[in-house]
Amino acid sequence: MKNIVILISGGGSNMAAIVRCAQREGWHKALDAQVAAVISNRPDAGGLAIAGEHQIATDVVDHKRFPTREAFDAELAAAIDRRQPSLVVLAGFMRILTPAFVERYRHRLINIHPSLLPAFPGLHTHQRAIDAGCKFAGATVHQVTTELDYGPILAQAVVPVLPDDTADALAARVLTQEHLIYPRAIAQLLPQL
Ligand code: NHR
Ligand code: GAR
């Protein structure tokens, strides 16, 4: 069985979309894969309750309890490794990961970023796209490398930026597409793992 571990920091709507797709498409049988655990760096992340409703194991590794990024990442890796993962999925996970962590999960660590990479890596992508006058925005699923928001691209979705768009309105439009492309990208990747 290929175990998928999903890392979240907030609402977990991408995580929920992946879990629902796995159930709907029967990944257990069709892909010999399951979402084995959801891990949050924030104890109050809304996604933890959603995972619980689906009887998925949850863990919290609170970054505020660790003096350095290295110490946090070591504890996070220990929590992940307990689930014997084939794939580690960042889904709205908001802590930058150290090179040692990224190396540990090389080729089995992926992220979804709310921009059309390589445009707008980092934070506040929607406002930056609006400010730049972009006519289109979107989301990117990519393999995580030590360079932030940079690894090989697995999938993208495009949405229009509308006149008088706000960052919130654009974010919601992008998020709808994220929920479609992230489960698809994972289902495509799993047979190669
Ligand atoms: N780590 C590596 N090494 N490479 C990537 O591509 C990563 C990563 C960790 C997270 C997600 C990413 C995004 O999709 C991601 C990709 C957080 C920040 C950030 O600056 C930047 C990019 C991403 C996630 N975080 C602040 C920090 O100091 C904290 C912000 C907060 O806690 O709210 O870590 O956009
Ligand atoms: C998503 O839009 C995701 O792409 C983005 O945060 C949102 C999380 O939503 N990720 C980042 O900005 C990473 N820095 P969710 O918690 O409901 O999936």
Side-chain angles (χ1 to χ4, degrees):
M1 178 66 61
K2 293 169 186 167
N3 286 330
I4 303 167
V5 172
I6 305 181
L7 306 189
I8 64 168
S9 298
S13 71
N14 274 295
M15 176 273 296
I18 294 162
V19 168
R20 280 197 303 267
C21 185
Q23 284 174 350
R24 190 174 62 240
E25 296 183 349
W27 287 6
H28 204 91
K29 275 194 170 172
L31 293 168
D32 190 34
Q34 64 180 356
V35 178
V38 171
I39 304 176
S40 173
N41 66 300
R42 293 191 178 275
D44 58 351
L48 289 169
I50 300 175
E53 285 164 17
H54 289 275
Q55 278 82 46
I56 296 169
T58 58
D59 274 313
V60 173
V61 182
D62 184 350
H63 64 276
K64 291 181 186 150
R65 291 179 27 241
F66 299 87
T68 62
R69 283 187 193 268
E70 285 73 17
F72 167 67
D73 280 9
E75 184 63 28
L76 184 61
I80 292 169
D81 290 349
R82 277 198 288 277
R83 312 296 178 175
Q84 301 183 293
S86 294
L87 180 66
V88 179
V89 173
L90 308 182
F93 183 72
M94 297 306 288
R95 301 300 300 175
I96 293 175
L97 298 161
T98 57
F101 182 99
V102 173
E103 280 305 316
R104 184 180 189 89
Y105 302 106
R106 184 193 263 278
H107 302 310
R108 49 192 178 113
L109 177 60
I110 63 174
N111 177 44
I112 191 160
H113 180 75
S115 79
L116 293 173
L117 291 175
F120 308 122
L123 302 178
H124 313 297
T125 54
H126 306 296
Q127 191 61 52
R128 288 159 64 202
I130 291 169
D131 291 346
C134 294
K135 301 302 179 196
F136 293 93
T140 304
V141 178
H142 67 97
Q143 286 186 31
V144 174
T145 62
T146 49
E147 195 167 346
L148 185 69
D149 291 331
Y150 193 77
I153 291 173
L154 301 173
Q156 286 185 314
V158 179
V159 304
V161 179
L162 300 179
D164 304 317
D165 235 343
T166 62
D168 284 350
L170 178 57
R173 196 175 309 125
V174 171
L175 191 60
T176 312
Q177 295 303 310
E178 293 183 39
H179 297 163
L180 300 177
I181 65 169
Y182 213 1
R184 287 269 56 72
I186 292 168
Q188 256 183 32
L189 187 63
L190 280 168
Q192 301 167 39
L193 297 174

